[in-house]
Amino acid sequence: MSDMLSGLESLGLGGMGKMDIFEDAAKIAQQEKEAARKSAIDAAQQALLDEKACLLDKTQKCRICDFEFKTKSVKTGKAKLVSQDIDLRPRYKEIDSVKYGVIACPVCGYAALQKNFEVLTSGQAALIKEKISSFFTGLPEPGETYTYDDAIQRHKLALVNAVVKRGKTSERAYLCLILAWLLRSKREEVEALAPDDVEKQSAALKAEEYDFLNKALEGFNQAYSKENFPLYVLDEQTSTYLIAALNLEVGNKEEAMRWAGKIIFNQNAPDRIKDKARNIKEIAEGKQSL
Ligand SMILES: [Zn+2]
Protein backbone atom coordinates (compact mmCIF):
# COMPACT_ATOMS: atom_id res chain seq x y z
CA MET A 1 0.00 0.00 0.00
CA SER A 2 1.31 3.41 -0.93
CA ASP A 3 1.56 6.31 1.46
CA MET A 4 -1.72 7.80 0.31
CA LEU A 5 -2.11 9.81 3.47
CA SER A 6 1.37 11.14 3.55
CA GLY A 7 1.78 14.90 3.64
CA LEU A 8 0.39 15.31 7.14
CA GLU A 9 3.84 15.15 8.77
CA SER A 10 3.93 18.92 9.14
CA LEU A 11 0.76 18.67 11.21
CA GLY A 12 2.42 16.23 13.55
CA LEU A 13 0.48 13.27 12.05
CA GLY A 14 3.32 11.56 10.30
CA GLY A 15 2.29 8.04 11.48
CA MET A 16 -0.91 8.07 9.44
CA GLY A 17 0.69 7.50 6.09
CA LYS A 18 -0.08 3.76 5.91
CA MET A 19 -3.59 3.92 7.35
CA ASP A 20 -6.08 1.69 5.46
CA ILE A 21 -9.04 3.89 4.67
CA PHE A 22 -11.77 1.19 4.77
CA GLU A 23 -10.20 -1.62 6.75
CA ASP A 24 -12.24 -1.02 9.88
CA ALA A 25 -15.71 -0.93 8.23
CA ALA A 26 -16.30 -4.64 8.81
CA LYS A 27 -14.90 -4.37 12.33
CA ILE A 28 -17.27 -1.50 13.15
CA ALA A 29 -20.25 -3.41 11.75
CA GLN A 30 -19.32 -6.40 13.92
CA GLN A 31 -18.92 -4.17 17.00
CA GLU A 32 -22.31 -2.59 16.34
CA LYS A 33 -23.91 -6.02 16.05
CA GLU A 34 -22.32 -7.11 19.34
CA ALA A 35 -23.47 -3.90 21.05
CA ALA A 36 -27.05 -4.41 19.79
CA ARG A 37 -27.00 -7.99 21.06
CA LYS A 38 -25.63 -6.91 24.44
CA SER A 39 -28.28 -4.23 24.84
CA ALA A 40 -30.98 -6.77 23.90
CA ILE A 41 -29.62 -9.12 26.59
CA ASP A 42 -29.55 -6.27 29.16
CA ALA A 43 -33.14 -5.36 28.21
CA ALA A 44 -34.17 -9.01 28.56
CA GLN A 45 -32.58 -9.21 32.03
CA GLN A 46 -34.36 -6.04 33.14
CA ALA A 47 -37.62 -7.37 31.69
CA LEU A 48 -37.14 -10.53 33.75
CA LEU A 49 -36.84 -8.50 36.96
CA ASP A 50 -39.94 -6.46 36.04
CA GLU A 51 -41.82 -9.65 35.27
CA LYS A 52 -40.84 -11.29 38.56
CA ALA A 53 -42.20 -8.30 40.50
CA CYS A 54 -45.59 -8.75 38.78
CA LEU A 55 -46.03 -12.40 39.81
CA LEU A 56 -47.26 -14.25 42.85
CA ASP A 57 -47.47 -17.95 43.67
CA LYS A 58 -50.94 -19.30 44.31
CA THR A 59 -51.71 -22.66 45.85
CA GLN A 60 -53.91 -24.82 43.69
CA LYS A 61 -55.43 -28.21 44.35
CA CYS A 62 -55.70 -30.52 41.38
CA ARG A 63 -59.26 -31.49 40.46
CA ILE A 64 -58.10 -34.91 39.32
CA CYS A 65 -55.33 -36.19 41.61
CA ASP A 66 -55.82 -33.86 44.64
CA PHE A 67 -52.14 -32.86 44.58
CA GLU A 68 -51.53 -29.35 45.96
CA PHE A 69 -49.09 -27.30 43.92
CA LYS A 70 -47.96 -23.70 43.42
CA THR A 71 -48.95 -21.94 40.23
CA LYS A 72 -47.75 -18.58 39.01
CA SER A 73 -50.31 -15.86 38.64
CA VAL A 74 -50.15 -12.21 37.57
CA LYS A 75 -50.86 -9.75 40.41
CA THR A 76 -54.08 -7.81 39.89
CA GLY A 77 -53.58 -4.51 38.11
CA LYS A 78 -49.95 -5.26 37.21
CA ALA A 79 -50.43 -5.92 33.49
CA LYS A 80 -50.67 -2.51 31.81
CA LEU A 81 -51.96 -2.71 28.25
CA VAL A 82 -49.85 -0.75 25.77
CA SER A 83 -51.31 -1.86 22.44
CA GLN A 84 -53.03 -4.70 20.62
CA ASP A 85 -52.13 -6.61 17.48
CA ILE A 86 -54.76 -6.87 14.76
CA ASP A 87 -55.90 -10.25 16.13
CA LEU A 88 -56.35 -8.72 19.60
CA ARG A 89 -53.12 -10.08 21.05
CA PRO A 90 -52.44 -7.73 23.97
CA ARG A 91 -49.03 -6.15 24.48
CA TYR A 92 -48.32 -5.22 28.07
CA LYS A 93 -45.70 -2.96 29.58
CA GLU A 94 -43.91 -5.00 32.23
CA ILE A 95 -45.19 -8.52 31.80
CA ASP A 96 -46.62 -10.64 29.03
CA SER A 97 -49.50 -12.01 31.07
CA VAL A 98 -50.53 -14.20 28.12
CA LYS A 99 -47.84 -16.65 29.30
CA TYR A 100 -49.62 -17.26 32.62
CA GLY A 101 -53.13 -18.18 31.43
CA VAL A 102 -52.93 -21.94 32.01
CA ILE A 103 -52.92 -23.91 35.27
CA ALA A 104 -51.21 -27.28 34.95
CA CYS A 105 -50.86 -30.04 37.54
CA PRO A 106 -47.22 -31.14 37.54
CA VAL A 107 -48.13 -34.66 38.70
CA CYS A 108 -51.06 -35.92 36.63
CA GLY A 109 -50.89 -33.61 33.59
CA TYR A 110 -54.33 -32.10 33.97
CA ALA A 111 -54.15 -28.58 32.52
CA ALA A 112 -56.70 -25.95 31.55
CA LEU A 113 -57.19 -22.23 31.06
CA GLN A 114 -57.53 -20.56 34.49
CA LYS A 115 -61.24 -19.90 34.05
CA ASN A 116 -61.89 -23.55 33.19
CA PHE A 117 -59.62 -25.35 35.65
CA GLU A 118 -62.32 -25.99 38.25
CA VAL A 119 -64.95 -26.88 35.67
CA LEU A 120 -64.77 -30.61 35.09
CA THR A 121 -67.37 -33.37 34.99
CA SER A 122 -66.59 -36.81 36.42
CA GLY A 123 -66.74 -38.23 32.88
CA GLN A 124 -64.15 -35.69 31.70
CA ALA A 125 -61.91 -36.47 34.69
CA ALA A 126 -62.07 -40.18 33.82
CA LEU A 127 -61.07 -39.47 30.21
CA ILE A 128 -58.09 -37.35 31.31
CA LYS A 129 -56.95 -39.99 33.83
CA GLU A 130 -57.13 -42.69 31.18
CA LYS A 131 -55.66 -40.84 28.20
CA ILE A 132 -53.22 -38.39 29.84
CA SER A 133 -52.40 -39.14 33.50
CA SER A 134 -51.58 -42.80 32.87
CA PHE A 135 -48.82 -41.76 30.44
CA PHE A 136 -47.73 -38.44 31.95
CA THR A 137 -44.15 -38.32 33.25
CA GLY A 138 -44.29 -34.93 35.00
CA LEU A 139 -43.89 -31.24 34.25
CA PRO A 140 -40.44 -29.65 34.53
CA GLU A 141 -40.00 -27.26 37.49
CA PRO A 142 -40.13 -23.73 36.04
CA GLY A 143 -37.79 -20.89 37.02
CA GLU A 144 -38.99 -17.71 38.73
CA THR A 145 -40.82 -16.68 35.56
CA TYR A 146 -42.11 -18.71 32.62
CA THR A 147 -40.07 -18.62 29.46
CA TYR A 148 -41.98 -18.67 26.18
CA ASP A 149 -41.02 -22.34 25.86
CA ASP A 150 -42.57 -23.06 29.29
CA ALA A 151 -45.71 -21.17 28.31
CA ILE A 152 -46.01 -22.86 24.91
CA GLN A 153 -45.59 -26.31 26.49
CA ARG A 154 -48.26 -25.57 29.13
CA HIS A 155 -50.73 -24.27 26.57
CA LYS A 156 -50.17 -27.28 24.31
CA LEU A 157 -50.80 -29.52 27.33
CA ALA A 158 -54.04 -27.62 28.02
CA LEU A 159 -55.04 -28.01 24.36
CA VAL A 160 -54.45 -31.78 24.48
CA ASN A 161 -56.56 -31.88 27.68
CA ALA A 162 -59.33 -29.88 25.98
CA VAL A 163 -59.44 -32.39 23.11
CA VAL A 164 -59.34 -35.45 25.41
CA LYS A 165 -62.07 -34.12 27.72
CA ARG A 166 -64.19 -33.27 24.64
CA GLY A 167 -64.20 -29.61 25.63
CA LYS A 168 -66.05 -26.97 23.66
CA THR A 169 -64.79 -26.06 20.20
CA SER A 170 -64.48 -22.43 21.34
CA GLU A 171 -62.16 -23.43 24.21
CA ARG A 172 -59.90 -25.34 21.80
CA ALA A 173 -59.98 -22.47 19.27
CA TYR A 174 -59.08 -19.98 21.99
CA LEU A 175 -56.09 -22.10 23.05
CA CYS A 176 -54.93 -22.24 19.41
CA LEU A 177 -55.19 -18.44 19.27
CA ILE A 178 -53.13 -18.03 22.46
CA LEU A 179 -50.53 -20.47 21.11
CA ALA A 180 -50.24 -18.35 17.94
CA TRP A 181 -49.69 -15.27 20.14
CA LEU A 182 -47.04 -17.05 22.22
CA LEU A 183 -45.20 -18.23 19.12
CA ARG A 184 -45.24 -14.65 17.79
CA SER A 185 -43.84 -13.37 21.08
CA LYS A 186 -41.13 -16.02 21.08
CA ARG A 187 -40.19 -15.07 17.51
CA GLU A 188 -39.97 -11.40 18.48
CA GLU A 189 -37.72 -12.33 21.41
CA VAL A 190 -35.46 -14.44 19.16
CA GLU A 191 -35.27 -11.65 16.57
CA ALA A 192 -34.27 -9.11 19.24
CA LEU A 193 -31.50 -11.36 20.59
CA ALA A 194 -30.36 -12.18 17.01
CA PRO A 195 -28.52 -15.50 17.46
CA ASP A 196 -26.50 -16.74 14.48
CA ASP A 197 -29.36 -18.90 13.17
CA VAL A 198 -31.96 -16.18 13.72
CA GLU A 199 -33.44 -16.50 10.22
CA LYS A 200 -33.95 -20.24 10.51
CA GLN A 201 -35.54 -19.99 13.97
CA SER A 202 -37.69 -17.06 12.95
CA ALA A 203 -39.02 -18.85 9.84
CA ALA A 204 -39.83 -22.02 11.83
CA LEU A 205 -41.70 -20.02 14.50
CA LYS A 206 -43.60 -18.06 11.87
CA ALA A 207 -44.69 -21.29 10.16
CA GLU A 208 -45.88 -22.76 13.47
CA GLU A 209 -47.75 -19.54 14.32
CA TYR A 210 -49.47 -19.67 10.92
CA ASP A 211 -50.64 -23.26 11.58
CA PHE A 212 -52.17 -22.25 14.93
CA LEU A 213 -53.83 -19.16 13.40
CA ASN A 214 -55.41 -21.47 10.81
CA LYS A 215 -56.60 -23.89 13.49
CA ALA A 216 -57.98 -21.03 15.60
CA LEU A 217 -59.88 -19.79 12.54
CA GLU A 218 -61.25 -23.26 11.78
CA GLY A 219 -62.42 -23.62 15.40
CA PHE A 220 -63.98 -20.16 15.71
CA ASN A 221 -65.77 -20.64 12.37
CA GLN A 222 -67.34 -23.86 13.71
CA ALA A 223 -68.09 -22.45 17.16
CA TYR A 224 -69.67 -19.31 15.65
CA SER A 225 -72.38 -21.35 13.96
CA LYS A 226 -73.02 -24.00 16.61
CA GLU A 227 -72.34 -22.46 20.06
CA ASN A 228 -74.03 -19.72 22.03
CA PHE A 229 -72.08 -16.54 22.73
CA PRO A 230 -69.75 -15.82 24.38
CA LEU A 231 -67.30 -18.09 22.55
CA TYR A 232 -65.09 -18.83 25.55
CA VAL A 233 -64.75 -15.17 26.66
CA LEU A 234 -65.54 -13.46 23.34
CA ASP A 235 -68.89 -11.78 22.81
CA GLU A 236 -70.59 -11.87 19.40
CA GLN A 237 -69.04 -8.66 18.02
CA THR A 238 -65.56 -9.57 19.20
CA SER A 239 -65.87 -13.09 17.77
CA THR A 240 -67.00 -11.68 14.41
CA TYR A 241 -64.11 -9.22 14.39
CA LEU A 242 -61.62 -11.91 15.34
CA ILE A 243 -62.74 -14.19 12.49
CA ALA A 244 -62.22 -11.26 10.09
CA ALA A 245 -58.74 -10.65 11.54
CA LEU A 246 -57.72 -14.32 11.42
CA ASN A 247 -58.87 -14.59 7.80
CA LEU A 248 -56.71 -11.59 6.98
CA GLU A 249 -53.68 -13.06 8.75
CA VAL A 250 -53.88 -16.37 6.89
CA GLY A 251 -54.39 -14.61 3.53
CA ASN A 252 -58.16 -15.06 2.93
CA LYS A 253 -58.78 -11.46 1.91
CA GLU A 254 -62.31 -11.96 0.53
CA GLU A 255 -63.45 -13.68 3.71
CA ALA A 256 -61.74 -11.02 5.83
CA MET A 257 -63.74 -8.33 4.02
CA ARG A 258 -66.99 -10.30 4.32
CA TRP A 259 -66.61 -10.73 8.10
CA ALA A 260 -65.43 -7.14 8.59
CA GLY A 261 -68.56 -6.03 6.65
CA LYS A 262 -70.79 -7.84 9.18
CA ILE A 263 -69.50 -5.43 11.82
CA ILE A 264 -69.29 -2.28 9.72
CA PHE A 265 -72.95 -2.59 8.67
CA ASN A 266 -74.23 -3.72 12.07
CA GLN A 267 -76.05 -0.89 13.81
CA ASN A 268 -75.49 -2.46 17.21
CA ALA A 269 -71.69 -2.74 16.89
CA PRO A 270 -69.80 -0.21 19.02
CA ASP A 271 -67.75 2.45 17.17
CA ARG A 272 -64.49 1.19 18.65
CA ILE A 273 -64.87 -2.22 17.00
CA LYS A 274 -66.28 -0.72 13.79
CA ASP A 275 -63.08 1.32 13.40
CA LYS A 276 -61.01 -1.81 13.81
CA ALA A 277 -63.16 -3.64 11.23
CA ARG A 278 -62.72 -0.76 8.76
CA ASN A 279 -58.99 -1.07 9.29
CA ILE A 280 -59.16 -4.77 8.33
CA LYS A 281 -61.17 -3.95 5.22
CA GLU A 282 -58.59 -1.37 4.14
CA ILE A 283 -55.73 -3.81 4.64
CA ALA A 284 -57.61 -6.51 2.70
CA GLU A 285 -58.21 -4.01 -0.13
CA GLY A 286 -54.50 -3.20 -0.18
CA LYS A 287 -54.95 0.40 0.97
CA GLN A 288 -52.85 -0.27 4.08
CA SER A 289 -50.28 -2.87 4.99
CA LEU A 290 -50.71 -5.43 7.76
ZN1 LIG B 1 -53.17 -33.62 39.20
Side-chain angles (χ1 to χ4, degrees):
M1 185 161 305
S2 61
D3 273 1
M4 285 174 72
L5 295 174
S6 63
L8 298 176
E9 295 79 359
S10 62
L11 306 179
L13 299 176
M16 306 275 178
K18 292 217 183 287
M19 183 183 268
D20 185 328
I21 298 170
F22 300 116
E23 179 203 38
D24 60 349
K27 213 185 284 171
I28 291 172
Q30 185 59 33
Q31 280 167 356
E32 279 173 355
K33 202 175 160 190
E34 285 302 321
R37 191 176 291 178
K38 189 175 175 304
S39 93
I41 290 169
D42 288 348
Q45 278 166 350
Q46 183 56 48
L48 208 64
L49 291 175
D50 291 344
E51 185 161 331
K52 233 163 68 180
C54 294
L55 291 173
L56 57 91
D57 279 336
K58 274 190 182 167
T59 304
Q60 183 75 48
K61 191 172 180 183
C62 179
R63 281 294 307 270
I64 292 197
C65 71
D66 287 338
F67 181 70
E68 262 192 15
F69 58 95
K70 297 262 193 256
T71 186
K72 293 190 189 306
S73 177
V74 180
K75 288 178 189 166
T76 312
K78 277 288 183 184
K80 298 216 167 41
L81 189 68
V82 177
S83 64
Q84 268 185 328
D85 289 354
I86 201 151
D87 60 10
L88 306 177
R89 170 199 163 200
R91 291 176 182 262
Y92 297 105
K93 199 173 168 196
E94 288 175 334
I95 182 167
D96 185 357
S97 65
V98 176
K99 287 196 280 189
Y100 298 91
V102 156
I103 300 176
C105 172
V107 172
C108 74
Y110 170 50
L113 288 160
Q114 266 177 30
K115 194 167 94 69
N116 288 2
F117 192 80
E118 297 291 342
V119 187
L120 203 67
T121 66
S122 54
Q124 287 177 320
L127 283 168
I128 290 168
K129 271 186 202 164
E130 181 200 332
K131 300 215 161 103
I132 293 178
S133 306
S134 55
F135 301 101
F136 193 67
T137 53
L139 207 58
E141 183 72 22
E144 289 176 301
T145 62
Y146 291 165
T147 62
Y148 280 112
D149 285 335
D150 292 332
I152 289 165
Q153 190 179 51
R154 282 163 181 266
H155 281 77
K156 284 185 179 173
L157 183 60
L159 179 55
V160 168
N161 270 269
V163 176
V164 164
K165 76 179 182 191
R166 298 174 188 150
K168 281 185 169 180
T169 305
S170 54
E171 182 186 352
R172 304 183 206 185
Y174 194 81
L175 278 161
C176 290
L177 176 68
I178 304 280
L179 276 157
W181 291 350
L182 290 168
L183 287 154
R184 189 179 311 155
S185 305
K186 185 181 171 190
R187 175 167 55 81
E188 286 166 0
E189 188 177 79
V190 165
E191 286 169 357
L193 291 171
D196 291 335
D197 64 343
V198 60
E199 279 167 27
K200 194 174 146 209
Q201 282 197 50
S202 174
L205 289 164
K206 202 164 196 166
E208 203 180 347
E209 177 192 335
Y210 181 81
D211 289 344
F212 275 109
L213 288 171
N214 261 306
K215 280 289 165 202
L217 176 59
E218 187 184 329
F220 281 122
N221 263 327
Q222 280 183 31
Y224 195 92
S225 56
K226 71 175 191 193
E227 288 183 23
N228 294 324
F229 295 101
L231 304 184
Y232 188 57
V233 289
L234 308 170
D235 63 26
E236 182 171 356
Q237 306 295 348
T238 312
S239 302
T240 311
Y241 170 79
L242 188 65
I243 292 175
L246 290 169
N247 269 301
L248 185 69
E249 288 183 307
V250 302
N252 303 336
K253 289 184 182 171
E254 293 291 324
E255 280 295 286
M257 281 193 268
R258 193 169 74 80
W259 283 88
K262 285 185 189 222
I263 297 167
I264 296 166
F265 301 112
N266 180 341
Q267 288 181 337
N268 299 323
D271 285 345
R272 183 186 51 82
I273 204 154
K274 275 190 182 178
D275 286 346
K276 289 166 85 70
R278 283 192 198 97
N279 185 39
I280 287 200
K281 192 162 167 281
E282 289 195 353
I283 297 170
E285 286 168 345
K287 290 179 187 163
Q288 275 190 55
S289 58
L290 186 60

